[in-house]
Amino acid sequence: MAYLWKERETVEIDYPLSKVWEAVPKALASLEWILEENDEVNHHAKAKTKGSFISYGSVLLIDAVQVDEKTTRLSVAAETPVTTITSVVDFGRTRDRIELFFEQLAKQLNV
């Protein structure tokens, strides 16, 4: 039986929306994840992570909203397909991928 493992995290970042949105594709590229969609107007992106031998890749949905001139709210939702067997191996991996994305984004913003 297959199902989706879903996780979501929202953070506020002390950078303008334009700078954050410019760093999103760079963070994905540094992780070697595939940027499938990039809606510059609505600040929405869809990316796909790599899978491994016994686990599937995750789909990340990234949305950014300007809070004020210097603050951006970034929301990342991740979905990973799992089966009864792979759910044991994938336990926590979806959350880890979201955290890894935020770490790389922070590095890109501080360059």
Side-chain angles (χ1 to χ4, degrees):
M1 175 181 231
Y3 56 96
L4 287 176
W5 203 295
K6 298 179 182 182
E7 294 282 345
R8 173 181 287 281
E9 187 166 346
T10 302
V11 297
E12 287 195 3
I13 303 170
D14 292 330
Y15 284 98
L17 177 61
S18 60
K19 183 164 179 142
V20 171
W21 197 250
E22 185 179 293
V24 167
K26 293 176 184 176
L28 293 169
S30 70
L31 292 165
E32 298 181 357
W33 293 350
I34 300 164
L35 180 61
E36 293 183 337
E37 296 174 18
N38 187 5
D39 184 348
E40 297 279 341
V41 175
N42 296 313
H43 302 102
H44 173 80
K46 180 178 178 183
K48 176 95 171 157
T49 69
K50 292 183 177 182
S52 66
F53 175 65
I54 54 173
S55 68
Y56 296 102
S58 298
V59 172
L60 287 133
L61 302 173
I62 304 163
D63 292 291
V65 177
Q66 182 174 337
V67 176
D68 59 36
E69 291 179 6
K70 298 179 183 178
T71 308
T72 302
R73 183 176 299 122
L74 192 67
S75 177
V76 178
E79 299 177 342
T80 306
V82 293
T83 63
T84 306
I85 296 168
T86 62
S87 66
V88 175
V89 176
D90 276 332
F91 185 75
R93 190 164 292 180
T94 306
R95 166 73 46 202
D96 292 343
R97 288 174 175 154
I98 291 173
E99 291 174 5
L100 189 58
F101 170 74
F102 280 122
E103 288 173 14
Q104 286 301 316
L105 183 65
K107 287 180 183 178
Q108 293 300 319
L109 290 169
N110 291 319
V111 170

